[in-house]
Amino acid sequence: MLEVDAGQPFNTAANDNSYTGGGIQMRGNYSCNPNNGPHTNAQYFNTSCVNTQPANGTFGTEHRNDIFGPRNTNVNLSAFKELTIYDRLKFQFRTDAFSAFNHALPKEPVNTISAANFGQITSWGGARTLQLSAKILW
């Protein structure tokens, strides 16, 4: 089974200078569409579109979840053998491979405006997992 993930939406994170008592996830100021970026590991989205900290006492102008993370393509495979033991009694042996080709899948880029690696992909996932199972059907 082929799974294609168009990328999880996210937004940037800025320091909370809104004087609203804290607990607010502040977003940066928005000047253009950040999804028109180079889409490389060094700069996944256009960081110049949302690279400014909002002024003290104001909120950021960036919309919620307007940046889309990297697209992930994952292949899961399954193979099984079913043996008839007696009439309706069957034995099934099954092997499942999740992320069968063991491709590295990029995670969400760094979204903190004040970070030195803002907009970079710094973590990966998608390790292959094998699962063996057996069951009796009657």
Side-chain angles (χ1 to χ4, degrees):
M1 180 167 110
L2 178 66
E3 293 179 25
V4 178
D5 181 8
Q8 296 296 316
F10 68 97
N11 49 267
T12 61
N15 295 328
D16 182 12
N17 296 334
S18 63
Y19 305 125
T20 58
I24 304 283
Q25 182 186 3
M26 185 62 67
R27 296 186 286 270
N29 285 325
Y30 190 77
S31 61
C32 60
N33 185 359
N35 291 307
N36 295 334
H39 298 290
T40 63
N41 294 339
Q43 184 184 5
Y44 185 74
F45 58 92
N46 189 351
T47 56
S48 64
C49 289
V50 283
N51 65 351
T52 58
Q53 174 74 31
N56 289 342
T58 64
F59 294 105
T61 59
E62 181 190 359
H63 303 222
R64 182 177 175 270
N65 291 338
D66 64 343
I67 305 172
F68 291 92
R71 175 183 163 171
N72 291 325
T73 303
N74 194 13
V75 177
N76 298 329
L77 297 175
S78 179
F80 62 92
K81 176 69 177 175
E82 191 169 286
L83 303 169
T84 302
I85 297 173
Y86 176 76
D87 197 21
R88 291 181 12 199
L89 186 63
K90 296 178 184 179
F91 177 78
Q92 186 181 81
F93 179 74
R94 184 180 189 103
T95 303
D96 299 308
F98 305 101
S99 186
F101 300 127
N102 206 24
H103 291 209
L105 302 176
K107 301 235 177 171
E108 184 179 293
V110 176
N111 68 343
T112 306
I113 290 176
S114 59
N117 54 357
F118 177 56
Q120 295 179 4
I121 295 175
T122 58
S123 60
W124 299 82
R128 179 186 306 136
T129 304
L130 295 175
Q131 174 179 297
L132 302 174
S133 58
K135 66 179 174 179
I136 296 175
L137 305 164
W138 70 87

